[in-house]
Amino acid sequence: MELRSLSASSFPPCYCVKRRLVLLTLVYLLSCDVKALQVIGGSVRVVLGGTAVLPCKLIDTAEPLHQISWQRKTREKVQTDNFYTIQTSGPVFVNGNDRRFQFIGSFKDNNGTLQLTNVLLKDEGVYTCIFTVFPSGNHKTEIPLTIFVLPSVSVKDEYPLEGKEERLLATCTAAGSRPPAEVSWITGSLGDKVRATRSSTQNGNDTTTTISSLLGVPTKEINRQKVRCVVKSEAPEISQDFTIQIYFPPVEAKIVERDQDTFECLTEANPDANVTWSRSDGPLPQSAEADGGKLKLQSISSDLNGLYQCEASNQYGKKHSQLYVHVPSGSCTVCWVIFGLALIASCVVAAVVYYFKFLRNEESPQRVPTSEPEEAPGEADTNI
Ligand SMILES: *[C@@H]1O[C@H](CO)[C@@H](O)[C@H](O)[C@H]1NC(C)=O
Ligand SMILES: *[C@@H]1O[C@H](CO)[C@@H](O)[C@H](O)[C@H]1NC(C)=O
Ligand SMILES: *[C@@H]1O[C@H](CO)[C@@H](O)[C@H](O)[C@H]1NC(C)=O
């Protein structure tokens, strides 16, 4: 009304007439829309192997229903295919039975809803539901069916050895996704010490495999840092945590005295090193017991005398260190010497520390002259 009074006063008469016509048409269309018979459908997305419900219902009519029929145009049936009809007597397959389809609607309620179980990729396409009523004839709607496939996500360690050049640290794979998944890394405090590259391949089965590779310079600084791979697909976001591992051989083997008569061979390596104790002239004597990295001298007797060696090793290399034990006869003192050295086959043994330890009496230890190392410890690396 406002428009009319406004038009009347300020617009030329012909404009005003046109405007009123448009308004009238709109009102007419709206009223038609509310009352007219219509078929309600929808679009459906379902996971591969899942169950799709293809909704279809005829509303706003009192005309008697003669038949509901279903057509499809799918990846398998590229030509329009009439495959299912429902009459008062019940549903019938038209071109061969596919028991995965089941009528779950209600004929008397004008509900043509169809259920499809164990959905396959070939089922993807457009389904048309047609209601035939008397006297107005056919009324239909199209229901697109889209099938998605969830990726399987895995994070793989690429076993980077410590070094100075950029290397592949880990890969995150979202395999067999449809539509393609988005794969990314959350690297937290690592910032620009690492970067990611992405690649994807189309699989024969209409899915895509996306791989995100995490690269960085494999330094000890980033060893054991936590990162997270995030995969976005049709499913709720999938994420997998990963701890970066930088691998390196034992850094050194260091013998330390733990407590009275117990020595430990310490090392740093990734993966953790195996430590084995041995004696140069054969098996360990009964009075010496090795327990992992520890060597325990149990009873003080001269059969302990000898050169003991600890070897720390993992698959990337090994380091040695030696301990000389001497129990002077008739004395209650044990003297021992550690050759705190990393040995290779031809490596020269040099004494680093050389002193007496008094086990039973309380005299303070005496230092005896040390010999100069002929080769600096730690310089000799054994990398296999
Ligand atoms: C049609 O039937 C289906 C299956 O029984 C039901 O889930 C759906 O709600 C019905 N649709 C309407 C609009 O009533
Ligand atoms: C599709 O192929 C990819 C790669 O060969 C495979 O990982 C995936 O499991 C396959 N998916 C299906 C649904 O067959
Ligand atoms: C460590 O020792 C165990 C047990 O003796 C053995 O099975 C394993 O292979 C060793 N690992 C290495 C890296 O030598």
Side-chain angles (χ1 to χ4, degrees), residues 48 149 152 175-176 203-205 207 209:
L48 181 72
V149 185
S152 59
N203 301 319
N205 57 20
T207 63
T209 294

Side-chain angles (χ1 to χ4, degrees), residues 3 16 31 51 63 137 177 186 192 203 226 235 250 280 289 311 325 374:
L3 179 69
C16 171
S31 61
T51 296
E63 294 182 60
S177 182
I186 296 177
D192 57 7
N203 301 319
K226 293 202 184 337
S280 60
E289 190 193 26
E311 180 184 284
V325 175
E374 290 173 32

Side-chain angles (χ1 to χ4, degrees), residues 154-180:
S154 58
V155 180
K156 182 164 153 262
D157 190 354
E158 295 293 345
Y159 293 94
L161 260 185
E162 189 189 4
K164 295 187 170 69
E165 305 275 305
E166 186 179 69
R167 274 216 46 189
L168 188 54
L169 306 173
T171 48
C172 182
T173 304
S177 182
R178 181 191 153 93

Side-chain angles (χ1 to χ4, degrees), residues 274 313-315:
N274 269 0
S313 70
N314 67 12
Q315 60 264 54

